[in-house]
Amino acid sequence: MNDLASAPKSERQRKPDWIRVKAPTSQGYGETRKLMRDLGLNTVCEEAACPNIGECWTKKHATVMILGDVCTRACAFCNVKTGMPRAVDPLEPEHVAIAAAKMGLEHIVITSVDRDDLPDGGAGQFIKVIKALRANTPNTTIEILTPDFRGKMREAVEAIVAAGPDVYNHNLETVPRLYPTIRPGARYYASLRLLEEVKRHDPLVFTKSGIMLGLSEQRLEVHQVMDDMRTAGIDFLTMGQYLQPTPKHTKVIEFVTPQAFDAYGSIARAKGFLQVASSPLTRSSYHAGDDFKTMRAARQAQSARMAAKP
């Protein structure tokens, strides 16, 4: 965004006070970590170096990352390892369900690495996880955050939506202009089409997408992404500050102020999203359960207003 000061271009950028968080030390954090290790599960909380891990794990909320911890792509912003993944773990779906039951989750978020090496892109494992959760924790609402299933999108989306997730999330990550450098293995309009495809198969599934700020995007570019998302019928928008995980990753161009995030949030709500989360520390699954309840209530209120019209 062109009216905010750029961050220093040093290897170690100093973070502003509003995005500094304390190191995790609580008992709940330790218990969540042990449960994930005992079940052999990976979490995006750890792999993506999420700044909210201490808060979320203390509350025993964790975002499980299925299909291993090695991604077949190398996005410039992502801290997940890149390379040739190992074989898919057949016990993973059951272990995810066990973890959800032991943590007493009302809402669970399941994401994955990109698995371009698999014939279905990993869609079958998402389906198995959804089915295991429905069988073991039927009252838990399920949110999935999938890759774009490059070259296999239609078949993958159709099969996953048929399994019945409550929320289907796929992040656009940034504005179209920055895709060649920030998300080179993906295509902006292909990701939009994926979310449109979800709605085509089941209009009642909530759709969700998010972008990172601080990568040199301009204000009008962000507004255009919002408009594109609304055209695709996306219900829920998340916006958070990009943080550089290591010196080898793309640098933060600017640290966007909380006030600027609030302004973006107000604009997004005016554009008609059912739910908007916009703050420096916002991440796709941060407070996802509470946000899901708010979004569901907003849809119910919207339906009631429509029904009341003459």
Side-chain angles (χ1 to χ4, degrees):
M1 287 152 287
N2 54 357
D3 59 341
L4 292 171
S6 294
K9 296 187 181 300
S10 61
E11 287 297 310
R12 293 289 181 183
Q13 293 167 306
R14 181 177 173 81
K15 296 175 184 176
D17 291 340
W18 62 77
I19 54 174
R20 291 182 190 166
V21 295
K22 294 180 180 179
T25 57
S26 71
Q27 180 180 342
Y29 171 87
E31 291 172 352
T32 301
R33 187 178 188 280
K34 183 178 186 301
L35 178 61
M36 295 298 113
R37 297 293 80 76
D38 289 348
L39 291 170
L41 294 174
N42 300 299
T43 70
V44 74
C45 322
E46 296 169 286
E47 301 300 332
C50 180
N52 303 314
I53 188 170
E55 177 186 345
C56 294
W57 282 27
T58 294
K59 298 176 181 177
K60 298 195 175 179
H61 295 167
T63 299
V64 178
M65 189 173 75
I66 63 173
L67 293 165
D69 63 352
V70 178
C71 187
T72 53
R73 301 191 198 171
C75 294
F77 63 89
C78 185
N79 196 45
V80 176
K81 295 190 292 287
T82 300
M84 180 52 67
R86 291 177 293 220
V88 176
D89 180 2
L91 298 178
E92 191 173 58
E94 192 64 27
H95 287 173
V96 173
I98 291 170
K102 287 191 174 182
M103 289 191 286
L105 296 182
E106 293 182 7
H107 186 84
I108 188 170
V109 182
I110 307 296
T111 188
S112 80
V113 291
D114 280 289
R115 291 296 302 260
D116 297 312
D117 59 309
L118 299 175
D120 68 349
Q125 191 77 337
F126 273 99
I127 294 165
K128 290 174 183 175
V129 169
I130 292 169
K131 289 181 177 178
L133 286 165
R134 293 295 186 216
N136 289 274
T137 58
N139 295 323
T140 301
T141 49
I142 301 171
E143 178 172 330
I144 57 167
L145 170 55
T146 77
D148 61 8
F149 301 114
R150 184 171 59 196
K152 320 166 180 83
M153 183 268 288
R154 281 199 170 86
E155 301 88 342
V157 167
E158 181 177 7
I160 292 173
V161 171
D166 298 284
V167 182
Y168 196 121
N169 186 0
H170 173 68
N171 286 329
L172 296 184
E173 305 292 9
T174 190
V175 300
R177 175 176 58 85
L178 296 177
Y179 261 58
T181 54
I182 301 302
R183 202 175 173 221
R187 299 293 179 267
Y188 177 80
Y189 290 104
S191 286
L192 274 176
R193 283 197 297 274
L194 182 150
L195 290 156
E196 288 177 328
E197 194 76 8
V198 173
K199 284 292 190 184
R200 189 175 75 82
H201 285 291
D202 187 349
L204 295 180
V205 174
F206 290 100
T207 50
K208 178 176 176 180
S209 190
I211 59 171
M212 303 171 290
L213 302 184
L215 290 166
S216 82
E217 66 287 332
Q218 304 295 306
R219 179 177 286 106
L220 291 181
E221 290 179 306
V222 176
H223 293 177
Q224 185 60 57
V225 170
M226 293 180 190
D227 289 338
D228 291 343
M229 287 185 179
R230 289 303 303 131
T231 299
I234 294 168
D235 300 301
F236 186 175
L237 167 63
T238 61
M239 291 178 281
Q241 171 70 50
Y242 166 68
L243 298 175
Q244 183 183 24
T246 73
K248 71 179 182 179
H249 289 85
T250 194
K251 291 183 179 180
V252 176
I253 302 303
E254 62 188 355
F255 288 105
V256 181
T257 65
Q259 293 77 15
F261 273 102
D262 288 344
Y264 276 129
S266 296
I267 291 167
R269 291 181 189 93
K271 289 180 181 293
F273 290 95
L274 287 177
Q275 177 70 351
V276 176
S278 178
S279 75
L281 288 175
T282 291
R283 297 296 182 268
S284 290
S285 55
Y286 189 44
H287 296 161
D290 292 338
D291 285 337
F292 171 72
K293 292 177 183 176
T294 301
M295 179 169 55
R296 184 167 55 186
R299 175 183 281 178
Q300 290 169 347
Q302 186 183 71
S303 298
R305 288 194 298 271
M306 295 295 291
K309 285 185 178 181

